[in-house]
Amino acid sequence: MAQQVLTQFTDHEMSWARADRILSDSNSLQSKFIALQILEKLIQTKWKILDEEPRNGIKNFSLNLIVELASSEESLRQNRVFLSKLNLVLVQILKQDWPQKWPDFIPDIVATSRTNLALCENNMAILKLLSEEVFDFSAEQMTQAKAKALKTQMCGEFSSIYSLCMEILQKAVQPSLILATLETLLRFLSWIPFGFIFEMDLINNLCTRFLQPPITRNVTIKCLTEIGSLECGNEYQEQLVNMFTMAVGGLHEILGDLGNVSEEWDEYDDDQQEFIQNVAIFLTSFLSSHLRLVETSASRASVIQAHQYVLRISQVDERELFKVCLEYWNVLVRGMYEDSRTSSFNAPSGLLNLGSNAGANGASMSADLRRQMYSGILTGVRYVMISRMARPEEVLIVENDEGEIVREFIKETDTITLYKAER
């Protein structure tokens, strides 16, 4: 009976008019979430047909409630889950009204962030949600023209957001605020102009200030992974090499040589295991995209150290982690094999042509120099492949209904796929 009454209320076309009373007066968190769901549905389906007065009323009420709940650190902690849903309602309004009917949103949120630390932390969450809605989920929720307009507006006003983020990262001492800012920046990195990333102090701050502290190191290594995956052409190669060198140096200060990771893996807490996984993803994705660049421009010690880390992590008895490393070893070995074939065809004196450069741009290492450089790494990879070799596909011979002896084929499983990749 109670569920029936609740369903009737939520389906009523004017139920949204009671949402403010529920949110203001109710002591039931469940009731408040129902009120927010009603508002969210209204904004998504009927916002454009509402009169201006109720639209402004809902917008101002939502803003005031956010400010009230996020005005102190204690209130922010107590109402974090509810605030997350309330922030999403505000972002739904922004998708409808910004920038035409709410042109001052970005200047306002930047200005209020400088008045209150707790409010600033919640504002970072709002900006992160807005970025996700506009750049990650817009294809399914809005027209191409609307999505393009929001993306253009966001990029046009990003300088003030970036200045706020940098100010927080340079001056803030509150760990939760720094973490919220880094998580917000992580969502920005895939779309902001390259100049903010490579021509400012962002990379240096990430590598020197936030990579080592345990509370920020996971989100920091994710930021570095995102930067390394950007298709930025040749203009910022020097910055990429510097980032790689600083990151590997920072990882060495944190992890040492990582020699006992396979034995100690089960003793690591969730945060430590997540960090090792993120390190593996960063190194394998960066090296897959920029190996030739760092081979010729970074120090040999940094390149070998990075491969040593991937090799150590490959020894951990964790299948999904091993798959990440295996994918990179395939990339490395395939590249070296192709180099060897090219060298054998092009070098008149045979394979041992140490003075030649086989790369298309004339600056890459020769095949033999690369083999010498990675000889120790490849020996370790062979050992890992042998010790971690997955079970091959079973060959089953059966007698069919006609009395013929035939092979029975088994549906390909994850283990068989892994075996083929290792082979």
Side-chain angles (χ1 to χ4, degrees):
M1 183 64 180
Q3 183 62 42
Q4 182 181 356
V5 172
L6 179 61
T7 302
Q8 290 175 348
F9 173 72
T10 55
D11 291 342
H12 195 281
E13 63 178 9
M14 292 301 293
S15 59
W16 60 270
R18 302 286 184 180
D20 59 336
R21 294 292 300 275
I22 297 172
L23 292 170
S24 300
D25 301 338
S26 177
N27 293 322
S28 169
L29 188 59
Q30 183 179 4
S31 299
K32 291 184 176 182
F33 273 108
I34 291 171
L36 289 178
Q37 288 174 351
I38 292 171
L39 284 179
E40 187 174 10
K41 182 179 179 181
L42 172 76
I43 296 165
Q44 291 174 336
T45 59
K46 299 180 180 179
W47 188 255
K48 296 298 185 183
I49 64 175
L50 288 178
D51 293 334
E52 186 174 353
E53 183 177 351
R55 287 206 307 264
N56 288 335
I58 293 171
K59 181 173 73 175
N60 292 331
F61 176 81
S62 301
L63 277 174
N64 292 334
L65 187 56
I66 288 174
V67 171
E68 178 185 344
L69 296 177
S71 59
S72 70
E73 188 172 347
E74 181 181 0
S75 177
L76 182 65
R77 300 290 172 268
Q78 291 176 350
N79 299 284
R80 185 175 294 280
V81 177
F82 179 65
L83 265 171
S84 297
K85 184 65 175 178
L86 187 57
N87 290 339
L88 187 56
V89 169
L90 180 65
V91 170
Q92 296 300 331
I93 296 175
L94 284 167
K95 287 163 63 178
Q96 301 287 343
D97 283 1
W98 181 67
Q100 288 82 4
K101 296 180 180 179
W102 200 348
D104 297 329
F105 167 70
I106 295 296
D108 287 347
I109 200 170
V110 170
T112 56
S113 296
R114 291 189 166 98
T115 63
N116 184 299
L117 290 179
L119 189 60
C120 179
E121 184 175 333
N122 190 67
N123 286 348
M124 286 293 120
I126 293 173
L127 290 171
K128 182 177 76 169
L129 277 174
L130 181 60
S131 176
E132 291 173 344
E133 291 292 320
V134 171
F135 289 90
D136 298 336
F137 310 136
S138 59
E140 301 174 357
Q141 299 179 2
M142 61 184 78
T143 64
Q144 290 184 351
K146 178 65 174 177
K148 183 178 180 180
L150 290 179
K151 290 176 181 179
T152 302
Q153 186 70 24
M154 195 94 174
C155 291
E157 298 194 55
F158 183 72
S159 59
S160 59
I161 299 174
Y162 183 84
S163 297
L164 173 64
C165 292
M166 290 299 100
E167 185 177 335
I168 294 170
L169 294 180
Q170 290 170 4
K171 297 180 180 179
V173 294
Q174 187 172 328
S176 60
L177 176 57
I178 295 173
L179 185 61
T181 304
L182 289 172
E183 289 174 345
T184 302
L185 272 174
L186 176 60
R187 295 297 181 271
F188 293 161
L189 290 173
S190 62
W191 57 265
I192 63 176
F194 292 148
F196 288 110
I197 300 173
F198 296 108
E199 297 175 15
M200 305 292 187
D201 293 331
L202 176 60
I203 293 177
N204 184 65
N205 280 329
L206 289 174
C207 292
T208 59
R209 297 188 58 202
F210 303 113
L211 184 57
Q212 295 192 29
I215 193 172
T216 58
R217 63 185 182 182
N218 271 307
V219 67
T220 299
I221 201 72
K222 288 179 182 179
C223 288
L224 297 178
T225 302
E226 189 68 38
I227 294 172
S229 67
L230 296 174
E231 297 180 2
C232 53
N234 298 328
E235 185 177 358
Y236 298 110
Q237 287 188 346
E238 181 180 352
Q239 289 86 342
L240 284 171
V241 171
N242 290 337
M243 183 186 82
F244 173 77
T245 303
M246 287 191 292
V248 172
L251 290 175
H252 189 263
E253 292 184 24
I254 301 169
L255 302 173
D257 62 2
L258 208 60
N260 299 320
V261 63
S262 58
E263 292 85 4
E264 298 175 354
W265 177 257
D266 291 334
E267 300 175 9
Y268 289 173
D269 58 29
D270 291 343
D271 184 74
Q272 290 173 308
Q273 290 188 354
E274 182 186 358
F275 183 61
I276 296 298
Q277 291 168 347
N278 289 331
V279 168
I281 294 171
F282 165 65
L283 292 175
T284 55
S285 63
F286 189 94
L287 291 172
S288 295
S289 301
H290 307 291
L291 180 59
R292 300 288 186 167
L293 173 64
V294 295
E295 281 179 348
T296 56
S297 302
S299 69
R300 177 169 177 166
S302 295
V303 177
I304 294 299
Q305 181 68 71
H307 284 84
Q308 286 283 4
Y309 282 143
V310 179
L311 181 60
R312 300 292 189 191
I313 296 171
S314 301
Q315 298 169 359
V316 174
D317 188 15
E318 176 65 42
R319 174 166 289 200
E320 295 305 315
L321 188 57
F322 179 64
K323 286 180 183 178
V324 172
C325 300
L326 178 61
E327 185 176 351
Y328 172 68
W329 294 132
N330 272 319
V331 171
L332 176 66
V333 174
R334 188 181 302 114
M336 296 185 69
Y337 174 71
E338 293 298 330
D339 279 358
S340 179
R341 291 184 60 193
T342 304
S343 176
S344 65
F345 282 121
N346 293 341
S349 58
L351 289 176
L352 294 178
N353 185 19
L354 299 182
S356 67
N357 287 325
N361 61 2
S364 299
M365 281 187 176
S366 70
D368 292 291
L369 285 176
R370 295 189 80 207
R371 280 201 299 271
Q372 293 173 17
M373 180 175 179
Y374 295 118
S375 61
I377 298 296
L378 294 176
T379 298
V381 171
R382 284 192 290 270
Y383 173 80
V384 170
M385 292 301 111
I386 294 171
S387 63
R388 297 291 306 276
M389 180 61 69
R391 184 177 180 179
E393 181 180 4
E394 294 183 10
V395 179
L396 299 181
I397 306 299
V398 298
E399 183 177 346
N400 64 15
D401 295 338
E402 287 76 29
E404 298 174 332
I405 303 300
V406 296
R407 176 180 176 181
E408 184 176 275
F409 289 92
I410 302 174
K411 185 178 180 180
E412 190 166 283
T413 63
D414 181 64
T415 299
I416 295 174
T417 303
L418 183 62
Y419 167 76
K420 290 181 177 179
E422 290 182 79
R423 187 181 61 181

